Amino acid sequence: MTTSGSAVDAAVAAVDAAIAQRDLPKLQTAYGALASAPKEALADRSAEIGPRLARHLPEMPPWHAAVYAVLVGALVEWDADAGVCAPPLLEGLRESLEQGIEFARLWGETHGEDEEPPDPTGLPSPAQQKAFGDDYADVWHAPYFGWLTVAKWESAAVAVLADPAVRRSLGNRDELVALTERLEPEIGDLQCVQKALLLLDEEPLLVLDRASGQGFRLRMSGIADNYQLQTLLAAVLIGGGQLPGDAPGAEAVALSTDAPFDPGRQQPPHRLESFNFAEPSGRWIWSATTPSRIPVVDGVRQLVLDAPVFRHDYATVRFLPRVSARLELEAVLTPAEAAPYFLGVRELMSWQEASRLAADGY
């Protein structure tokens, strides 16, 4: 009698053999067996088979590597070692982004704005490959498959970037962020991987409250966007009795830090923003942006709080459910102690000017 666990082991062994023999049909059959295996059986063996499959990714054809990468990402979410699996997944992301950019360039040069490029989440199309013409193999092949696999590599990369150790060891973070920013206008939303790449860990933050003249030294980790920071700042400063206002409830704080959350099944509580975020220069910092948007001034990120000009309703939850977040208050500065920092703080710009800058992509 074949158990689900032994079937998973046999499928992984078939992957090993397919790579050794360069047998593409066997590689496809092995994936089918893994994809149809019970999740419990895959989860039970994830710590062993995740790194094993990850090591094979550079040896696979582009499409197959991306499909297997999604599976490796799922194994990481169960129990596979993110640090071991991360290098081939993040390298695959980088290559797919570069090839996707090249595909967008080639497509634009060939078709202009008259014809939409292929659906970037679609399947490889033999008809489309034929339509590329005689130079398909030499010119279009790698960019085409890069274009089609970006979303798969994004999913896999986000899985390993949930691990703080992976983020700390990431040496090409700026390069990857720049590649996503170049490709996003052509391919569409890449904010999941962007926010994962831009996560800050053990980051000092100086918050200056304009109304009270007080300052607050905090330390933040794993906060994906400034809506999440809104919730946690309100919990620490308002809930902690440092500032007046409406503090978030326990559920909102838990879902914004580390409580289990299933986006498909749970409806998180909503609340209105407690603060208007700004740079010391007076420029607004929109809540949809990330904490990395807060400028570094004299070696530390500085955030100015004003009363909300417009209060937006938002869901109090983590954008990246597998990433735990933390915001800790380390010191409270009296107005006298905070005064030197306020010397560099300018008047908050008008909402008209802030909106114009936002429309210009600021």
Side-chain angles (χ1 to χ4, degrees):
M1 178 177 176
T2 301
T3 66
S4 58
S6 62
V8 168
D9 293 339
V12 174
V15 175
D16 294 337
I19 294 297
Q21 300 163 13
R22 298 186 178 277
D23 187 329
L24 194 56
K26 182 178 287 188
L27 186 63
Q28 293 170 325
T29 300
Y31 179 81
L34 288 169
S36 61
K39 289 184 178 180
E40 295 79 7
L42 289 170
D44 286 345
R45 284 162 170 74
S46 59
E48 189 268 326
I49 65 176
R52 191 167 160 186
L53 293 177
R55 283 192 291 269
H56 286 315
L57 295 178
E59 303 172 82
M60 296 181 187
W63 178 259
H64 297 77
V67 171
Y68 268 93
V70 175
L71 175 58
V72 173
L75 294 169
V76 167
E77 292 185 355
W78 283 315
D79 196 34
D81 189 320
V84 174
C85 296
L89 295 181
L90 294 172
E91 178 61 15
L93 172 68
R94 184 192 64 78
E95 291 179 354
S96 69
L97 291 169
E98 289 182 341
Q99 295 293 353
I101 290 168
E102 175 62 8
F103 179 83
R105 185 191 70 79
L106 288 169
W107 188 270
E109 286 183 353
T110 304
H111 300 283
E113 299 180 358
D114 296 334
E115 189 173 344
E116 289 290 322
D119 178 0
T121 62
L123 296 170
S125 164
Q128 178 63 76
Q129 293 172 54
K130 183 178 180 180
F132 287 130
D134 294 338
D135 60 356
Y136 168 70
D138 296 328
V139 176
W140 287 92
H141 174 77
Y144 178 53
F145 277 87
W147 174 264
L148 292 178
T149 58
V150 167
K152 290 178 168 54
W153 289 110
E154 177 185 25
S155 171
V158 169
V160 294
L161 289 168
D163 188 307
V166 171
R167 300 197 295 270
R168 286 194 297 269
S169 65
L170 188 59
N172 63 339
R173 181 194 307 259
D174 292 345
E175 176 192 10
L176 292 173
V177 171
L179 288 171
T180 65
E181 291 174 345
R182 287 178 60 191
L183 183 57
E184 191 169 47
E186 309 295 337
I187 205 168
D189 183 7
L190 293 173
Q191 68 171 325
C192 284
V193 73
Q194 286 173 346
K195 289 186 174 181
L197 287 166
L198 291 170
L199 286 168
L200 301 172
D201 294 292
E202 299 300 329
E203 183 79 4
L205 174 67
L206 174 62
V207 172
L208 302 171
D209 179 58
R210 196 189 303 266
S212 68
Q214 290 178 283
F216 305 94
R217 292 194 182 276
L218 302 104
R219 192 169 297 271
M220 58 182 172
S221 292
I223 300 175
D225 60 39
N226 287 323
Y227 283 119
Q228 189 179 0
L229 182 58
Q230 280 273 350
T231 303
L232 297 180
L233 265 181
V236 171
L237 299 183
I238 299 175
Q242 304 295 336
L243 295 175
D246 175 31
E251 182 185 9
V253 176
L255 290 175
S256 298
T257 50
D258 57 7
F261 174 63
D262 183 345
R265 297 182 179 181
Q266 288 177 257
Q267 291 295 323
H270 283 236
R271 65 178 273 111
L272 297 173
E273 293 166 319
S274 296
F275 312 108
N276 199 95
F277 287 176
E279 298 181 7
S281 68
R283 288 181 167 180
W284 291 27
I285 298 175
W286 302 97
S287 293
T289 61
T290 64
S292 63
R293 171 69 180 73
I294 301 169
V296 175
V297 181
D298 296 329
V300 65
R301 294 188 189 274
Q302 292 191 15
L303 176 67
V304 179
L305 303 184
D306 287 283
V309 179
F310 301 106
R311 301 191 72 191
H312 297 98
D313 177 88
Y314 68 96
T316 54
V317 71
R318 305 187 300 285
F319 181 85
L320 300 171
R322 292 186 58 248
V323 178
S324 296
R326 189 173 76 255
L327 182 68
E328 297 174 339
L329 178 63
E330 296 185 336
V332 178
L333 306 183
T334 65
E337 293 169 327
Y341 300 105
F342 275 98
L343 292 175
V345 173
R346 301 290 176 259
E347 181 181 355
L348 181 68
M349 67 169 47
S350 69
W351 73 264
Q352 292 93 338
E353 180 66 6
S355 298
R356 184 190 66 77
L357 289 173
D360 290 343
Y362 174 77

